[in-house]
């Protein structure tokens, strides 16, 4: 195995160019997470600013082998500054989905209308969640972090993350009809309890 992130970041304090390896390793993960939260256009700015902040603050990195939770925590805080844009992005995604209904074959129109209705309700519920609950849920669902990774990204204990995810899950499930959360295509957006 090669050099871990902690070693690279420590080396970058003496050899600044080494930090480029951290960017190369984690840019795609940060971009995917940010794009899901604020859209592709804004994600590019979030990624750039995330790595600028990380570079400027690399001397306070905790030295762990994986910088991903640290970087996603920075990105989450930057996204928090864009909460109004986040709400607009959700409304835009719903509008785009509804606009495509006319292009779908007739037999799939009902499914698309149902998906648009659920996405709209889900977007409104996400916007109403407390910021800490929303950030924990979206880091878990979009960034594919485990509970410990989410806790590290947000700088809170794992027990707090368990509570936040449980609370967010209950609120989202209450907002959706029972059949709307049963199918799981990939990582469960409304996470169920785990043994992590």
């Amino acid at each position: 195995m090669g050099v871990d992130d902690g070693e690279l970041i420590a080396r970058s304090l003496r050899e600044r160019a080494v930090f480029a390896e951290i960017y190369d390793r984690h840019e795609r993960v940060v971009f995917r997470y940010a794009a899901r939260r604020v859209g592709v256009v804004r994600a590019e700015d979030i990624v750039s600013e995330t790595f600028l902040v990380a570079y400027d603050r690399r001397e306070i990195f905790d030295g762990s082998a994986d910088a991903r939770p640290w970087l996603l925590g920075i990105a989450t805080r930057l996204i928090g500054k864009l909460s109004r844009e986040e709400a607009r992005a959700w409304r835009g995604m719903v509008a785009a989905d509804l606009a495509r209904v006319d292009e779908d074959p007739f037999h799939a129109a009902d499914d698309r209308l149902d998906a648009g209705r659920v996405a709209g309700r889900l977007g409104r519920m996400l916007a109403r969640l407390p910021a800490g609950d929303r950030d924990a849920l979206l880091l878990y669902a979009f960034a594919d972090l485990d509970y410990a990774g989410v806790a590290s990204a947000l700088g809170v204990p794992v027990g707090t993350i368990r509570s936040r995810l449980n609370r967010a899950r209950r609120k989202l499930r209450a907002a959706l009809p029972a059949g709307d959360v049963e199918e799981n295509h990939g990582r469960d957006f409304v996470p169920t309890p785990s043994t992590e």
Side-chain angles (χ1 to χ4, degrees):
M1 186 176 162
V3 178
D4 70 34
D5 292 346
E7 294 173 54
L8 277 176
I9 292 173
R11 250 183 57 206
S12 77
L13 294 171
R14 298 180 308 279
E15 305 167 45
R16 293 182 292 192
V18 171
F19 195 80
E21 177 67 22
I22 296 297
Y23 179 86
D24 291 343
R25 287 181 181 185
H26 300 292
E27 179 272 336
R28 292 178 77 139
V29 169
V30 175
F31 179 81
R32 279 194 310 264
Y33 170 67
R36 288 176 165 176
R37 294 278 314 257
V38 297
V40 172
V41 174
R42 289 276 192 189
E44 293 171 357
D45 293 337
I46 294 294
V47 169
S48 297
E49 196 168 345
T50 296
F51 284 95
L52 285 173
V53 168
Y55 178 81
D56 288 343
R57 297 183 181 168
R58 68 192 188 282
E59 68 278 348
I60 64 168
F61 181 65
D62 67 5
S64 61
D66 184 6
R68 194 171 50 130
W70 179 59
L71 293 167
L72 290 167
I74 293 169
T76 297
R77 285 185 284 285
L78 293 171
I79 289 168
K81 293 178 182 178
L82 299 172
S83 61
R84 287 189 303 273
E85 285 80 6
E86 185 177 273
R88 277 189 219 123
W90 279 103
R91 285 192 299 273
M93 288 189 328
V94 170
D97 282 346
L98 292 176
R100 284 184 281 200
V101 168
D102 292 336
E103 300 168 15
D104 285 345
F106 182 76
H107 67 277
D110 286 342
D111 291 340
R112 299 294 296 167
L113 286 170
D114 289 344
R117 179 182 48 77
V118 170
R121 193 174 317 140
L122 185 60
R124 287 187 297 279
M125 279 304 302
L126 281 170
R128 286 187 209 125
L129 286 175
D133 293 358
R134 182 176 53 247
D135 290 342
L137 179 67
L138 295 178
L139 278 167
Y140 182 83
F142 288 167
D144 201 27
L145 292 178
D146 61 12
Y147 287 13
V150 174
S152 177
L154 297 178
V156 298
V158 173
T160 301
I161 295 305
R162 290 181 190 279
S163 297
R164 287 178 180 180
L165 288 174
N166 186 42
R167 187 171 39 247
R169 184 175 56 252
R170 275 188 286 114
K171 288 180 180 179
L172 291 176
R173 282 206 171 120
L176 299 174
D180 290 339
V181 293
E182 288 179 12
E183 279 192 50
N184 181 4
H185 302 286
R187 187 144 171 108
D188 191 1
F189 189 77
V190 183
T192 54
S194 79
T195 56
E196 295 181 56

